[in-house]
Amino acid sequence: MKLTIHELLDAMWQDYLALTPDAQPIHQLFDKLNQGNVINDHIALRTFNLEKLSLEKVAQPFVDAGYQPMDEYHFPAKKLFARYYKHPDDTLPKVFISELKVEELPEDCQTIINGLVDQVTEESVNQQSFCCSGRPWTVSMEQYKTLAAESEYASWLAAHGFRANHFTVSINHLKTPADINGVNQLLLDNGYELNTSGGLVKGSPEVFLEQSSTMAKEVSVSFNDGELTIPGCFYEFAMRHPMPDGQLYQGFVAASADKIFESTDVQS
């Protein structure tokens, strides 16, 4: 049965909560302060740039629901390409999808990733809910560690599969706190660890977007030869500022997104 876009987004949220211990209590914290007016700015998804699992394949259910491709972004150091999709209905979250350039990784990592993708059927990728279906392959702890040594992004995707990497609270829609510094202080006061890469706040009013995020808490993940405790997902917070024409900026800032990616880094 075909899901409505609202049902698909809700299924993604429920799946995300299972890997993000902080998300529900943080959402409830803002919910209580704002009488339920907590709006999701965007959702982020990860994939590999191999044909079977390309960014366009992952985006298809959203395009079918009326989402339109917008700006593109490049992250050379992390070997990533990304594009975001926006729906004409502004109450629906933007969808930010990135893909790893597998061909730029060392040969041993390419071999592992190709082996994982070979286990995925075309039929499963074409399912509407593939974007929140979890891990479609078996992977070993050794393979995970090999990927992790080269690319946190690759190892996260190998371990967790297809699901929202993060959801994002729209600070613009909050009554309180009214700005990103207030949001960050509220989170810190409540004991949440925030991503400090590039500073607590990534971006500025001058680039029309300010972002911050929690650090992903560790969760237990089963591999085909044992279990490891590794970073799950995180929660992001975004404040959009008006452009010279008075319209709120709707895109993303590559330099800031580059630091947000590090919210799932393993903590030393």
Side-chain angles (χ1 to χ4, degrees):
M1 186 176 72
K2 189 173 176 62
L3 301 173
T4 67
I5 186 59
H6 292 282
E7 289 171 336
L8 178 59
L9 293 171
D10 185 61
M12 294 173 71
W13 171 251
Q14 295 303 324
D15 176 75
Y16 162 81
L17 289 180
L19 270 187
T20 322
D22 285 344
Q24 192 73 52
I26 288 175
H27 190 275
Q28 289 170 343
L29 176 64
F30 287 107
D31 196 62
K32 186 176 180 181
L33 289 171
N34 292 274
Q35 291 80 52
N37 196 32
V38 181
I39 302 297
N40 183 26
D41 179 86
H42 70 271
I43 302 168
L45 297 165
R46 295 180 173 187
T47 192
F48 297 121
N49 72 338
L50 302 177
E51 184 179 355
K52 192 189 292 183
L53 296 174
S54 68
L55 187 157
E56 287 79 9
K57 292 281 182 68
V58 175
Q60 195 59 51
F62 303 100
V63 173
D64 291 344
Y67 275 81
Q68 298 162 357
M70 305 298 284
D71 297 340
E72 299 179 348
Y73 305 91
H74 298 270
F75 305 91
K78 291 184 170 61
K79 305 175 175 63
L80 302 175
F81 167 76
R83 180 187 296 127
Y84 88 91
Y85 293 76
K86 187 175 182 296
H87 197 278
D89 179 352
D90 285 338
T91 66
L92 292 174
K94 291 168 278 291
V95 179
F96 183 95
I97 308 176
S98 55
E99 62 180 9
L100 179 65
K101 298 179 180 180
V102 177
E103 72 279 2
E104 295 185 10
L105 295 177
E107 196 168 325
D108 58 342
C109 293
Q110 291 188 45
T111 299
I112 291 170
I113 293 168
N114 279 294
L116 299 181
V117 175
D118 284 345
Q119 300 175 48
V120 184
T121 65
E122 295 278 1
E123 182 182 13
S124 66
V125 178
N126 292 331
Q127 294 294 313
Q128 187 187 15
S129 58
F130 181 73
C131 59
C132 58
S133 62
R135 192 174 72 203
W137 46 60
T138 61
V139 59
S140 70
M141 292 189 291
E142 183 181 357
Q143 289 173 319
Y144 168 82
K145 290 174 181 177
T146 298
L147 293 175
E150 184 63 33
S151 165
E152 175 281 327
Y153 185 107
S155 61
W156 188 96
L157 185 51
H160 296 301
F162 293 85
R163 55 201 352 145
N165 172 259
H166 63 269
F167 275 68
T168 310
V169 171
S170 169
I171 300 171
N172 298 79
H173 290 87
L174 298 178
K175 292 174 183 170
T176 182
D179 61 32
I180 196 164
N181 292 315
V183 165
N184 289 343
Q185 193 59 55
L186 177 65
L187 293 165
L188 291 169
D189 288 347
N190 280 272
Y192 295 105
E193 182 185 2
L194 300 183
N195 177 342
T196 58
S197 179
L200 277 180
V201 178
K202 295 90 168 86
S204 67
E206 288 70 34
V207 295
F208 313 119
L209 178 64
E210 294 176 290
Q211 297 165 271
S212 65
S213 63
T214 64
M215 288 301 294
K217 276 194 172 176
E218 293 196 332
V219 294
S220 181
V221 174
S222 295
F223 294 84
N224 60 13
D225 54 352
E227 289 199 0
L228 287 176
T229 302
I230 61 175
C233 306
F234 61 94
Y235 215 165
E236 189 186 323
F237 314 91
M239 180 82 181
R240 296 184 178 278
H241 294 276
M243 299 180 291
D245 65 3
Q247 297 294 310
L248 277 185
Y249 180 66
Q250 293 299 311
F252 295 85
V253 177
S256 301
D258 188 74
K259 300 302 182 185
I260 291 288
F261 277 119
E262 295 173 19
S263 300
T264 51
D265 281 2
V266 175
Q267 298 302 289
S268 55

